[in-house]
Amino acid sequence: MSEARSEARPEDNGGNAATFDAHPGADAGVTPESPLQWSRVQGRVTEEGGAAEQIRVVERPFLGHLVLRGGAITLDEAVRAELGVSLPGKPLGLVLDAEGSRSVQWVSPDEWLVIVPAGEEFELENRLRARLGDAHFAIVNVGGGQTLLELSGEKARELLMKSVTYDVHEQGLPVGKAVGTVFAKTSVVLRRPSEARFELVVRRSFADYCVRWLLDAGREYGLRVESASP
Amino acid sequence: MFHIFCPYCQEYREEEEFHPSGQAHIERPAEPASVSDEAWGDYLFLRDNPRGIHHEMWVHRLGCRKFFNITRDTASYEILETYRMGEQPSITAASAEVRREQGVQTADGGWQTVGARPENSRLNEETPS
């Protein structure tokens, strides 16, 4: 892997800031470890696969998480051009692209969370920077600090009802809504991208705690936490 | 537990998601260098501690992480309204006194606390004062 591909100097991306690829790939000599690495070592997280239970929790490791901050109109134009989806303007909005693999989420009036498939975030950040140019904005790659857990199955809602203070009923959390809330005394982002799925974005330092909580709360449903291999 | 309306998320959330951050509407002296030590000390440390209507700054720390203002009754713990930073309260100690005299149950904008929701929606409408 050449250095030019994993790093971008300010003059390469619009003169705003230097960026680097947080996941340069295996040839760079760095083995990526997701926030659930410790849970995996401890045997709490198993390889993805096996029979579907009443509830299924699967980690989606190494996705690209970018936090965009700035004015809604400026960012909307850039995101629309680069991702093909519009920035959710209403509070607590969550927008997915046609494939369903890229999402933009409202976090606060001047802050949005973009989640894209692994390996896309570095190029996307550079393209957004180039497009935004001198506008007043900030883009931060927070992919190393958090990870995404996907909950599905008939009992997923019941598990969440035991864990979060937020109303996870259809009327409180319809498809296309995402909230930051309390999960077992820690903070998570709770997302509802589709009818069948809930998503939890957990902080790295609390990831193992959240997994333990999920395992405990889901014991009656035979819950296992799975993850793709690193 | 309170159910607090976040003016940025625009919905009611559990009190657990919020954190109080002291008195609201404190203005920093425009030119700190020319302010007397006493005035600067007052600005830094002295806070009102009223019985009754109080304006406070709260932060939605586990949600949108924005600061906003709350008008709260320190005697009854009732939250009368929440409003964004930079806005002015519609309920003050003076206007609350008028409301009490007129026998209006709660202020416009709604039922910030459990139990404050009026039986009749007319009671919740703005009263000319």
Side-chain angles (χ1 to χ4, degrees):
Chain A
M1 167 131 334
S2 66
E3 199 178 56
R5 274 211 45 201
S6 61
E7 285 181 37
R9 288 183 299 278
E11 52 271 28
D12 302 331
N13 59 28
N16 196 292
T19 54
F20 73 98
D21 191 353
H23 295 299
D27 356 337
V30 182
T31 312
E33 291 184 348
S34 96
L36 292 190
Q37 179 66 16
W38 173 247
S39 321
R40 194 193 311 270
V41 169
Q42 295 289 303
R44 285 188 277 275
V45 173
T46 54
E47 284 296 308
E48 188 173 1
E53 307 280 346
Q54 289 174 300
I55 176 169
R56 192 175 158 94
V57 179
V58 184
E59 187 204 11
R60 300 284 171 221
F62 313 121
L63 296 180
H65 299 237
L66 295 177
V67 166
L68 310 186
R69 302 203 64 169
I73 296 167
T74 327
L75 289 178
D76 182 46
E77 252 171 50
V79 167
R80 211 186 278 262
E82 295 300 341
L83 282 176
V85 296
S86 57
L87 211 61
K90 285 201 173 150
L92 312 176
L94 171 68
V95 178
L96 278 82
D97 74 347
E99 276 177 57
S101 56
R102 297 169 191 84
S103 62
V104 186
Q105 177 199 338
W106 185 98
V107 177
S108 85
D110 56 359
E111 185 175 349
W112 288 267
L113 175 65
V114 177
I115 299 187
V116 294
E120 284 186 17
E121 72 275 20
F122 174 61
E123 286 303 321
L124 177 64
E125 182 180 349
N126 285 331
R127 292 206 311 269
L128 285 172
R129 282 185 186 282
R131 194 168 283 276
L132 287 162
D134 293 332
H136 186 63
F137 72 99
I139 302 178
V140 184
N141 184 341
V142 295
Q146 55 196 34
T147 191
L148 190 132
L149 295 169
E150 202 176 275
L151 278 72
S152 56
E154 49 179 315
K155 298 291 185 186
R157 191 196 305 277
E158 279 174 45
L159 181 105
L160 285 172
M161 281 161 66
K162 295 198 274 188
S163 310
V164 298
T165 54
Y166 197 78
D167 177 12
V168 292
H169 186 269
E170 198 58 48
Q171 66 193 29
L173 193 69
V175 173
K177 193 168 178 184
V179 297
T181 186
V182 189
F183 173 92
K185 299 183 186 178
T186 180
S187 66
V188 293
V189 175
L190 176 61
R191 297 149 55 98
R192 187 83 194 280
S194 71
E195 195 61 46
R197 278 184 301 152
F198 292 93
E199 286 177 351
L200 290 175
V201 178
V202 300
R203 299 266 178 188
R204 183 171 203 109
S205 52
F206 280 90
D208 183 56
Y209 168 78
C210 290
V211 164
R212 288 180 191 221
W213 178 281
L214 285 170
L215 286 172
D216 187 44
R219 191 180 297 161
E220 59 178 302
Y221 313 124
L223 176 141
R224 283 180 302 125
V225 180
E226 302 163 27
S227 176
S229 354
Chain B
M1 292 285 280
F2 285 126
H3 233 179
I4 299 173
F5 187 86
C6 172
Y8 293 103
C9 294
Q10 294 181 4
E11 62 178 24
Y12 287 87
R13 296 293 189 87
E14 289 291 325
E15 183 187 358
E16 202 178 351
E17 295 182 15
F18 297 88
H19 194 77
S21 302
Q23 188 182 338
H25 304 300
I26 294 173
E27 206 171 313
R28 189 174 196 268
E31 286 183 47
S34 61
V35 166
S36 71
D37 284 358
E38 196 180 348
W40 186 253
D42 287 358
Y43 158 71
L44 277 185
F45 302 115
L46 288 194
R47 296 291 180 262
D48 295 340
N49 184 20
R51 179 183 167 81
I53 302 294
H54 191 34
H55 304 292
E56 290 174 344
M57 200 158 65
W58 283 57
V59 58
H60 192 187
R61 61 186 177 125
L62 295 180
C64 59
R65 305 195 293 274
K66 290 286 177 203
F67 283 83
F68 61 96
N69 299 306
I70 281 183
T71 303
R72 197 170 68 88
D73 190 320
T74 58
S76 67
Y77 297 127
E78 183 178 350
I79 294 169
L80 298 164
E81 63 171 346
T82 60
Y83 51 102
R84 296 177 179 215
M85 296 309 282
E87 291 176 3
Q88 290 300 312
S90 64
I91 301 165
T92 58
S95 73
E97 188 56 41
V98 172
R99 279 164 205 282
R100 190 154 39 244
E101 282 165 9
Q102 292 176 342
V104 176
Q105 192 173 356
T106 186
D108 56 301
W111 328 289
Q112 297 287 351
T113 46
V114 177
R117 182 190 290 266
E119 296 292 309
N120 184 330
S121 68
R122 253 185 333 109
L123 288 176
N124 205 46
E125 282 164 16
E126 182 70 64
T127 317
S129 56

